[in-house]
Amino acid sequence: MFSQNNTSFMPEEDLLYTILADMKRTVGEYTTATTESNCPSVRQMFTDLTNDTLRLQGDLYRLMSQNNMYSTSSKALRIDLDKQIQEARKTQHECQQFIQQKSSSAGGYGQPMHQQGQPTHQNNPYYM
């Protein structure tokens, strides 16, 4: 990997960009694994891995940006960001209403959704 004079096999900027791109790909794969997990403890593990990788990716991006190794696109307008956030929240609210409606119409067979802050492993045979 290194030559005798301790120089890298590729420029540092290229290496960091490759790592950054790989981290972006990994986050996508972890997200897919999270959404496809049936076992709550496995789902939580992939959620934690996703969050840790996002933090690390953000740290690497900031480091690269501070060292002028990563050029960013032009800044987004605040009004455009607010519109996207509002649309995402509306979609999330509609999904929550749909789930609640379908859960309540399932009668005794529906299981309540876990509320934030409650442990997901209580009375769960899959919890490790």
Side-chain angles (χ1 to χ4, degrees):
M1 195 165 171
F2 291 95
S3 65
Q4 289 180 344
N5 61 4
N6 290 334
T7 59
S8 175
F9 74 100
M10 66 189 310
E12 188 176 77
E13 183 175 347
D14 293 341
L15 181 60
L16 292 174
Y17 188 81
T18 301
I19 294 169
L20 187 66
D22 193 48
M23 293 175 94
K24 290 178 190 179
R25 179 193 55 78
T26 302
V27 165
E29 291 178 9
Y30 285 157
T31 301
T32 299
T34 302
T35 60
E36 293 181 2
S37 296
N38 187 33
C39 174
S41 60
V42 172
R43 183 178 178 91
Q44 186 61 53
M45 177 194 65
F46 280 117
T47 298
D48 294 344
L49 285 169
T50 300
N51 290 335
D52 291 344
T53 305
L54 283 170
R55 276 189 288 278
L56 188 57
Q57 183 272 335
D59 292 344
L60 180 57
Y61 163 76
R62 277 187 292 285
L63 174 75
M64 291 175 69
S65 182
Q66 289 169 353
N67 290 291
N68 297 319
M69 293 180 176
Y70 196 96
S71 60
T72 59
S73 58
S74 62
K75 293 185 178 187
L77 296 175
R78 183 69 205 183
I79 193 166
D80 292 336
L81 292 175
D82 289 342
K83 183 179 176 185
Q84 290 294 319
I85 291 169
Q86 184 179 14
E87 288 176 14
R89 286 183 178 153
K90 180 182 174 201
T91 301
Q92 182 181 28
H93 180 70
E94 289 170 354
C95 287
Q96 288 171 342
Q97 285 181 325
F98 178 79
I99 290 169
Q100 287 175 347
Q101 178 187 11
K102 294 300 177 183
S103 294
S104 65
S105 68
Y109 298 104
Q111 295 182 357
M113 300 298 291
H114 291 287
Q115 298 296 320
Q116 257 185 337
Q118 291 181 341
T120 58
H121 61 278
Q122 288 180 336
N123 302 321
N124 187 333
Y126 296 110
Y127 182 72
M128 293 188 237

